[in-house]
Amino acid sequence: MTQHLTRGLLIAIEGIDGSGKTAQAQRLAEHLTNQGYEVMLTHEPTDSPYGRKIRSLAHSGRAALTADQELKLFMEDRKLHVANVIAPALEAKQIVVTDRYYFSTIAYQGARGLDPSAIQQANEAFAPRPDLVLYLNVSPETGLDRIRQARGEEPNLFERAEMLRDIRSIFASIDELFFVEIDAERNADDVFKDILSNVEYALSYVHIHQPA
Ligand code: TMP
């Protein structure tokens, strides 16, 4: 049965590299779709020209960019993402599940020395505040181990342990009611259970109950 909502719901999944976000985002989207919800699963950086530039630089040594240049690329990419994907899906009362959102900019570009609260403000000028952020918390050591195992490759420049430590401490300092920290050191099933109970709680506010 198709499930209807009173409005769209925006869920972001965040965490350092190797935290398991992508797999959990996919699992969540699949679960909600099976329940009859209309789901838009998406990710950042996107496949826009800005996103493609970011990805190619990540492989060829992104340190070539200044923090401000990097910030600009992520912001331009997100503006397109909001305008073309997120806002229309919310307008259509869908559930948007995004694998990374502006909290990644706060944490990653914050770790390069930019002011986290200024980054948040600049993003919230155009990007809707989410209903729920699921922050998958793992240590840099766990994240890097998972990357080595999953990809069979050495982590790239952005994934070095010292950098991930700084990124993680900025994530940990984000103080918003919708920002929920989940212990992602545990196995994937336990992490998913926590994700689901938070999502079900958020859904209880917008779900339209239909007579059986
Ligand atoms: P991904 O590995 O999740 O696809 O993300 C690519 C890299 O981009 C990852 O190391 C995190 C980084 N990133 C930022 O530095 N700032 C941002 O705003 C976003 C969305 C990602």
Side-chain angles (χ1 to χ4, degrees):
M1 188 174 64
T2 308
Q3 308 281 351
H4 295 280
L5 305 181
T6 55
R7 60 172 178 82
L9 197 74
L10 178 54
I11 301 171
I13 308 206
E14 295 279 10
I16 63 168
D17 304 77
S19 58
K21 286 175 298 82
T22 304
Q24 294 288 350
Q26 281 166 359
R27 189 164 170 185
L28 177 62
E30 199 174 315
H31 176 88
L32 294 171
T33 304
N34 290 340
Q35 299 275 305
Y37 292 102
E38 274 196 81
V39 180
M40 170 64 70
L41 173 63
T42 183
H43 60 88
E44 294 187 357
T46 74
D47 298 322
S48 78
Y50 301 108
R52 283 203 296 273
K53 184 158 184 193
I54 291 164
R55 282 183 205 285
S56 72
L57 287 167
H59 291 290
S60 62
R62 218 169 8 172
L65 291 181
T66 66
D68 281 314
Q69 287 169 329
E70 198 175 275
L71 174 68
K72 195 153 188 282
L73 284 178
F74 283 112
M75 296 287 278
E76 292 305 318
D77 185 50
R78 182 163 304 116
K79 281 180 189 162
L80 292 177
H81 191 212
V82 168
N84 298 336
V85 179
I86 296 178
L90 292 176
E91 189 68 26
K93 300 184 179 178
Q94 297 180 357
I95 301 176
V96 177
V97 176
T98 182
D99 174 357
R100 294 199 185 278
Y101 196 36
Y102 63 85
F103 305 89
S104 282
T105 320
I106 293 172
Y108 281 76
Q109 280 59 58
R112 285 204 64 188
L114 302 183
D115 175 17
S117 55
I119 297 174
Q120 180 160 1
Q121 231 177 14
N123 275 277
E124 290 178 351
F126 70 89
R129 277 162 70 86
D131 294 282
L132 182 63
V133 178
L134 299 156
Y135 165 53
L136 305 191
N137 185 21
V138 290
S139 68
E141 291 71 26
T142 300
L144 291 172
D145 270 358
R146 287 185 187 165
I147 291 169
R148 282 191 198 97
Q149 278 166 20
R151 299 190 203 152
E153 64 185 46
E154 273 308 298
N156 69 34
L157 268 181
F158 257 59
E159 298 163 343
R160 285 184 320 227
E162 329 79 270
M163 187 77 174
L164 291 181
R165 252 185 285 285
D166 294 343
I167 293 164
R168 188 184 190 215
S169 68
I170 299 177
F171 271 133
S173 73
I174 296 175
D175 184 20
E176 297 282 0
L177 275 178
F178 55 68
F179 195 89
V180 175
E181 181 179 313
I182 291 182
D183 174 5
E185 294 280 336
R186 296 168 303 159
N187 71 63
D189 288 347
D190 288 345
V191 172
F192 186 65
K193 264 187 220 148
D194 271 10
I195 288 180
L196 210 52
S197 64
N198 280 285
V199 168
E200 279 165 359
Y201 184 70
L203 268 172
S204 69
Y205 284 94
V206 295
H207 180 243
I208 299 174
H209 293 278
Q210 289 147 334

